[in-house]
Amino acid sequence: MTPEETKAFEEKIHAFVGRENGPPKRGNDDVNEAMIRHWAEVMGDELGTYTDAEYAAGTGKGGLIAPPAMLQAWSMEGYPMAENPAQDIQRQLHNVFDAHGFTGVLGTNTSTEFFRDLKPGDQVTAHCIIDTISEQKATGRGIGYFIETLTTYTDQNGEEVGKQVFRVLKFIPADSNDAADSSTEDDSPSVPTRITSPRGHDNSWWWKACDEGKILIQRCTSCQTLRHPPRPMCGECQSIEWDSIESTLDGEVYSFTTLHYPKIPGYQYPNTVGVIQLSEGTRLVANIVDIDYETIKIGMKVKGSVEQVDEKTMLPVFRPE
Amino acid sequence: MITETISFASVNVGDKLPGKEVPITSALIVGGALASRDFTSVHHDKKVAQANGLPDVFMNILTSNGLMGSYVTNWTGPDATVKKIALKLGAPNLPGFVMTLVGEIKAKDDSTGIVDIEVIGENNVWGMHMAGTVQVQLPQ
Amino acid sequence: MVKDKAAIVGIGNTEFSKNSGRSELQLTCEAVRAALDDAGLKPSDVDGMTTFTMDSTDEIELARAVGIGDITFYSRVPHGGGAATGLIHQAVMAIASGMCETVVCYRGLNGRSGHRFSEGVSGNIITADAMHWGWYMPSGLMTPASWVAMYTQRYMHLAGEDKVKEALFEVAYTTRQHGATNPAAMFYDHPFDRAEYDAQKKIVGPLKLYDCCLESDGASAVIITRADKARACKHGGVAIKGVGQSAAKNMESMTSFYRDEIAAIPSMDVAAKEAYKQSGLTPDDIDAAVIYDAFTPIVLWQLESWGFADPLKSADFVLEGGLRLDGRLPTNTHGGQLSEAYIHGVNGIVEATRLVRGTSKNQPDKEINHALVTSGVGVPTGGALLGKMD
């Protein structure tokens, strides 16, 4: 968008600020035991005050209550959202965003205050207004705007039972910025896997053996010196002739560290990595697994094996002997 | 069933709640979306989720909110009263991930009996899923 | 030889922030203009340029933007923060050999709002040696903190874990104290105590958050000119007494895990030897220092390389208060990269110049005749000895 177009767009969206989303919306169902039980099962709520009327009567609550986090659920639109959502003011606002390329939507924050516990029979009505729209932001998801709605929930007596600020990001999905390259064939991306090594002339033989479950150590055929990581020439005698031996993966911890942050997709944290002194004399950097990292000591004997660590990757891993 | 309620006097700022691992499954994501009456397609339809740039269906914010609530009330016990839940979402929760919940008491108000519990849910693949604060009033 | 052939005559920084809101080119222009003003020179006086291979600002774009005219020397130094004093190295050689007279050394980056170095090589690999990183990415050992942590663990094993951990705190604490009283520092007015340090999250064992440098947006520039011209500049000159640039045997970028012993940084030993030899100075002559502090432990090893402590003994030097303003070697008086800003060590050259001029915000209460400034380590590195002009 040109600066003028952006200005016109922002005027359009800011006209929504302060407007009511629609008439107050009373929940289709009053607070009831069945929906509470359904919720409690999924969320793992273990309190009898949610699901056991007899028990609940004897607690300080004096009877069943709904899990507080359910508050928003009582007045949700339900199944029509999937097929034919109501064209309320918020939807109209989103349509303006969509028409300008801000098609992505993501709930980013919710903050709810609860003024009293809800009990079966209570009737929840939501009063929602478009409260604020942020300046344009560059987010990790893409360029976008945060929209905050403020919802006040009242009961059958018109008294406030809770208040919620809900913030969504409407953004231009990063992919649509390079639309020319959007025809990817793989329509089922999978869970991220580890970042693997690029393979070239000097290292692909090593990684290929690793794929097959073997850890090799390069050996100069002229002076027999072992070397790792592999290099095309021997630093001792300058020979370019070499073969390799297979490591037994017996070794000890020469040094190690445990990574906590940042968390890179495809890896599990905490992630312990060691420099392993192999019995053959060379060193190898690899994960140390199945041990509390606080108990690892330099000099500890370890034994390695080559294992499949994710859907795509074979790697050496070491365990204490 | 949990019947004991933690008393205000028995907790201190800096106390940690026991951690809890929540395996994220399609059942939890879809079940949570339906229990919260959220029929937005990305929470039950893998193809739509993929069109939105994620590998699979992902957890809706109401379920994250519900899990944060249950994590705290399962710890406090029945006679506590939740006053506020505020959370910020980070990386999505997808089937196959494991989310670890941890909590720590950050503040304690003697006049009201309300404690602020910071709760963080991290998944093992993409990291921080949610971080927030639950305010809960405990019996004296 | 290069001793006293050239001098730093101008220094300039932008502000340091988490989001500069402008291009790296613009930041760099502003820092260069500030450095020229500081020197009392005009853009047309500049005829040479040096920066990092990693820097995004093209020499001729910068020249056109700032109004610099004909250029007879330009060069770039590789290896990220290892290039910092390499800029001085290049400039001095060019000036001493008559290739040019006045060099601007610059580095500008949106290191927080743009590419963040803490992400390591997980995202866009910014070095050409992708195959080298391939030995470490699959296991997850791919952030600067994790590479440094690997040496640190070994160092603690040999030097004593408890003592080294105390020394790491002292490095972090003293540096932050300095930053807290430097208005330009990102951590100005934000000192911390032991409890706050301990409460920070673990980044990579044994390093916690405050053992790691900032990520910052900003730029720094330094003007170096021929010694005889320096005297006419607004603040005179700070002489370059010696400068070393160095890689040592059996080295990898950040992952030299295959040496006989890894609890030291031999490449900095080489730089120190070079710089002392050129200058005729010894460790006893050095009054203050700016030591590259991307992470706290690398300060310890550099103290050993430069002869302020014996190998494996720098924790004692640090724990005796050696880095404090009233200590043997007041160090990172601007707050370092831990607390002022992470401008890849070039803001450190600016501070070392101030120390010799006597204009640091935390100027030690003694005569600073000579100051040391170093580059990033783990990578090929370097260091420079600055001093008063004869």
Side-chain angles (χ1 to χ4, degrees):
Chain A
M1 282 195 277
T2 65
E4 291 73 28
E5 286 167 342
T6 300
K7 190 158 172 278
F9 167 67
E10 290 186 345
E11 274 171 16
K12 240 186 260 178
I13 57 174
H14 281 119
F16 283 82
V17 173
R19 291 182 66 181
E20 285 185 25
N21 190 30
K25 185 169 181 335
R26 180 175 156 185
N28 293 332
D29 299 287
D30 296 341
V31 175
N32 66 85
E33 290 183 43
M35 286 171 67
I36 292 174
R37 178 179 301 283
H38 185 179
W39 172 283
E41 281 175 5
V42 179
M43 301 302 167
D45 276 306
E46 295 179 46
L47 296 183
T49 43
Y50 300 147
T51 52
D52 185 335
E54 204 175 315
Y55 162 79
T59 67
K61 300 294 180 191
L64 287 179
I65 63 165
M70 264 192 100
L71 179 58
Q72 189 186 351
W74 297 115
S75 56
M76 290 287 281
E77 188 183 357
Y79 186 69
M81 287 173 76
E83 299 296 330
N84 185 23
Q87 293 299 309
D88 54 23
I89 298 298
Q90 193 173 346
R91 168 55 44 199
Q92 290 171 28
L93 172 60
H94 283 204
N95 289 345
V96 175
F97 275 100
D98 292 345
H100 289 79
F102 295 86
T103 53
V105 60
L106 187 71
T108 62
N109 299 69
T110 169
S111 173
T112 317
E113 289 174 81
F114 309 98
F115 303 141
R116 74 165 173 91
D117 289 321
L118 291 177
K119 298 175 184 306
D122 278 329
Q123 297 164 4
V124 177
T125 299
H127 312 253
C128 175
I129 63 165
I130 312 291
D131 198 30
T132 64
I133 298 176
S134 72
E135 301 290 297
Q136 193 180 91
K137 303 275 186 186
T139 75
R141 293 303 184 115
I143 299 281
Y145 296 79
F146 289 101
I147 306 169
E148 265 185 12
T149 52
L150 174 64
T151 306
T152 308
Y153 296 95
T154 56
D155 64 10
Q156 54 276 24
N157 302 318
E159 283 175 17
E160 291 190 7
V161 295
K163 192 178 267 189
Q164 180 178 26
V165 177
F166 197 92
R167 181 193 276 190
V168 300
L169 173 67
K170 281 295 285 175
F171 61 100
I172 301 176
D175 282 343
S176 62
N177 291 338
D178 42 283
D181 195 30
S182 65
S183 60
T184 58
E185 290 146 32
D186 184 5
D187 69 342
S188 60
S190 53
V191 169
T193 52
R194 297 199 184 201
I195 302 171
T196 53
S197 176
R199 298 186 185 193
H201 189 83
D202 295 335
N203 71 346
S204 61
W205 61 273
W206 193 95
W207 285 109
K208 203 158 159 284
C210 181
D211 292 341
E212 291 160 6
K214 288 186 288 195
I215 296 301
L216 301 182
I217 303 173
Q218 194 180 31
R219 177 173 62 183
C220 174
T221 50
S222 166
C223 72
Q224 308 300 310
T225 303
L226 297 174
R227 57 185 196 259
H228 182 83
R231 294 180 290 277
M233 183 178 282
C234 174
E236 300 298 319
C237 74
Q238 287 70 48
S239 167
I240 55 168
E241 303 299 325
W242 56 268
D243 61 5
S244 64
I245 61 167
E246 184 176 349
S247 171
T248 61
L249 299 180
D250 292 307
E252 61 177 58
V253 175
Y254 178 77
S255 191
F256 67 97
T257 185
T258 300
L259 290 84
H260 302 270
Y261 290 92
K263 298 190 176 181
I264 313 287
Y267 296 80
Q268 304 207 355
Y269 294 88
N271 175 24
T272 299
V273 186
V275 176
I276 308 298
Q277 179 76 54
L278 294 173
S279 60
E280 290 85 2
T282 57
R283 293 182 195 150
L284 178 67
V285 170
N287 293 114
I288 305 174
V289 299
D290 293 343
I291 179 172
D292 173 2
Y293 66 85
E294 303 273 7
T295 66
I296 299 174
K297 296 269 180 263
I298 287 174
M300 183 179 265
K301 298 268 185 249
V302 288
K303 175 75 180 177
S305 61
V306 181
E307 295 175 10
Q308 183 156 7
V309 296
D310 59 34
E311 208 178 314
K312 296 180 184 156
T313 321
M314 292 285 283
L315 280 183
V317 298
F318 286 79
R319 294 181 175 80
E321 281 214 314
Chain B
M1 196 163 75
I2 293 158
T3 56
E4 293 295 311
T5 301
I6 288 190
S7 72
F8 183 75
S10 69
V11 301
N12 294 301
V13 172
D15 285 357
K16 291 190 167 54
L17 277 63
K20 184 185 181 192
E21 285 196 354
V22 182
I24 310 300
T25 60
S26 297
L28 176 59
I29 292 166
V30 177
L34 300 199
S36 58
R37 308 271 296 150
D38 183 350
F39 285 80
T40 310
S41 305
V42 287
H43 305 312
H44 62 256
D45 186 331
K46 182 169 173 176
K47 282 217 152 40
V48 178
Q50 289 180 350
N52 279 269
L54 283 158
D56 205 337
V57 294
F58 57 94
M59 184 175 285
N60 70 334
I61 192 167
L62 285 86
T63 301
S64 304
N65 206 33
L67 292 172
M68 189 172 275
S70 70
Y71 173 62
V72 169
T73 56
N74 285 346
W75 175 73
T76 60
D79 285 328
T81 303
V82 177
K83 307 302 276 186
K84 186 176 181 180
I85 303 177
L87 72 88
K88 177 179 194 273
L89 273 196
N93 269 349
L94 270 67
F97 293 9
V98 177
M99 177 169 71
T100 303
L101 290 162
V102 295
E104 181 177 338
I105 297 178
K106 288 290 183 187
K108 205 180 157 190
D109 184 343
D110 292 327
S111 62
T112 59
I114 292 176
V115 297
D116 292 3
I117 303 169
E118 179 191 73
V119 178
I120 293 172
E122 282 193 344
N123 71 47
N124 58 332
V125 179
W126 284 339
M128 203 281 282
H129 167 70
M130 62 177 174
T133 301
V134 179
Q135 286 186 339
V136 61
Q137 191 170 36
L138 298 176
Q140 292 293 338
Chain C
M1 293 299 286
V2 299
K3 185 184 178 202
D4 292 328
K5 293 275 171 49
I8 297 174
V9 293
I11 52 179
N13 288 331
T14 61
E15 88 288 2
F16 306 124
S17 71
K18 290 182 176 177
N19 186 354
S20 70
R22 48 206 200 274
S23 69
E24 294 175 341
L25 172 61
Q26 181 174 340
L27 289 171
T28 306
C29 289
E30 292 174 23
V32 169
R33 185 180 57 194
L36 286 168
D37 288 350
D38 180 65
L41 292 174
K42 303 183 296 299
S44 56
D45 293 323
V46 172
D47 57 359
M49 288 190 174
T50 64
T51 186
F52 291 45
T53 51
M54 212 176 247
D55 198 276
S56 73
T57 294
D58 198 272
E59 291 84 347
I60 51 180
E61 290 297 331
L62 177 65
R64 200 160 60 145
V66 175
I68 292 167
D70 299 342
I71 306 170
T72 57
F73 170 74
Y74 40 87
S75 75
R76 289 187 172 227
V77 185
H79 300 296
T85 62
L87 307 189
I88 301 177
H89 187 261
Q90 295 292 300
V92 168
M93 289 198 301
I95 292 166
S97 61
M99 297 296 172
C100 64
E101 283 189 353
T102 301
V103 179
V104 53
C105 311
Y106 64 90
R107 175 76 177 122
L109 68 165
N110 283 324
R112 180 64 172 75
S113 66
H115 174 80
R116 298 179 66 174
F117 285 88
S118 64
E119 289 166 1
V121 291
S122 61
N124 284 331
I125 297 176
I126 45 174
T127 65
D129 57 346
M131 226 176 285
H132 154 236
W133 298 115
W135 297 110
Y136 310 103
M137 293 187 295
S139 67
L141 192 76
M142 53 182 151
T143 60
S146 70
W147 304 319
V148 167
M150 195 66 87
Y151 300 100
T152 306
Q153 196 76 45
R154 182 78 195 168
Y155 183 84
M156 291 195 312
H157 175 68
L158 298 176
E161 183 163 338
D162 292 343
K163 187 192 277 187
V164 173
K165 281 187 171 167
E166 286 301 310
L168 297 184
F169 169 73
E170 171 65 19
V171 171
Y173 172 80
T174 302
T175 310
R176 178 64 72 83
Q177 291 291 109
H178 297 162
T181 52
N182 169 13
M186 289 177 77
F187 274 119
Y188 174 58
D189 209 20
H190 283 85
F192 63 70
D193 58 16
R194 184 61 191 246
E196 189 182 339
Y197 172 86
D198 287 337
Q200 298 307 306
K201 68 183 176 189
K202 285 182 195 162
I203 301 296
V204 179
L207 305 178
K208 299 188 127 193
L209 184 65
Y210 287 169
D211 292 307
C212 305
C213 67
L214 292 157
E215 293 178 293
S216 334
D217 287 10
S220 296
V222 172
I223 312 288
I224 300 178
T225 193
R226 226 168 56 205
D228 58 307
K229 296 186 62 160
R231 292 174 208 286
C233 289
K234 206 193 288 183
H235 301 287
V238 167
I240 294 148
K241 300 288 180 181
V243 53
Q245 187 177 50
S246 51
K249 193 181 173 189
N250 202 4
M251 176 154 202
E252 285 191 2
S253 182
M254 295 309 294
T255 52
S256 305
F257 302 142
Y258 310 98
R259 290 170 164 153
D260 290 344
E261 183 49 66
I262 68 169
I265 36 171
S267 49
M268 191 57 99
D269 298 350
V270 177
K273 202 172 132 196
E274 273 300 305
Y276 281 136
K277 189 175 77 184
Q278 291 165 19
S279 62
L281 298 170
T282 71
D284 286 344
D285 298 315
I286 312 304
D287 304 303
V290 176
I291 298 181
Y292 199 95
D293 57 344
F295 303 97
T296 51
I298 71 174
V299 174
L300 300 184
W301 310 329
Q302 294 178 80
L303 289 168
E304 295 166 17
S305 289
W306 288 89
F308 299 105
D310 288 335
L312 301 175
K313 297 294 181 201
S314 53
D316 297 324
F317 180 90
V318 167
L319 291 172
E320 283 159 14
L323 308 182
R324 298 190 178 201
L325 291 181
D326 58 357
R328 158 69 190 89
L329 188 74
T331 293
N332 296 343
T333 44
H334 55 324
Q337 303 195 88
L338 293 168
S339 298
E340 187 190 58
Y342 179 68
I343 310 296
H344 259 153
V346 180
N347 53 325
I349 302 175
V350 169
E351 176 67 5
T353 305
R354 288 195 203 108
L355 282 165
V356 178
R357 285 181 178 179
T359 60
S360 169
K361 291 288 177 204
N362 292 303
Q363 189 69 28
D365 189 18
K366 66 175 179 181
E367 186 78 7
I368 306 293
N369 288 310
H370 299 105
L372 162 69
V373 54
T374 70
S375 300
V377 296
V379 287
T381 186
L385 296 170
L386 310 182
K388 295 202 189 300
M389 295 192 68
D390 291 333

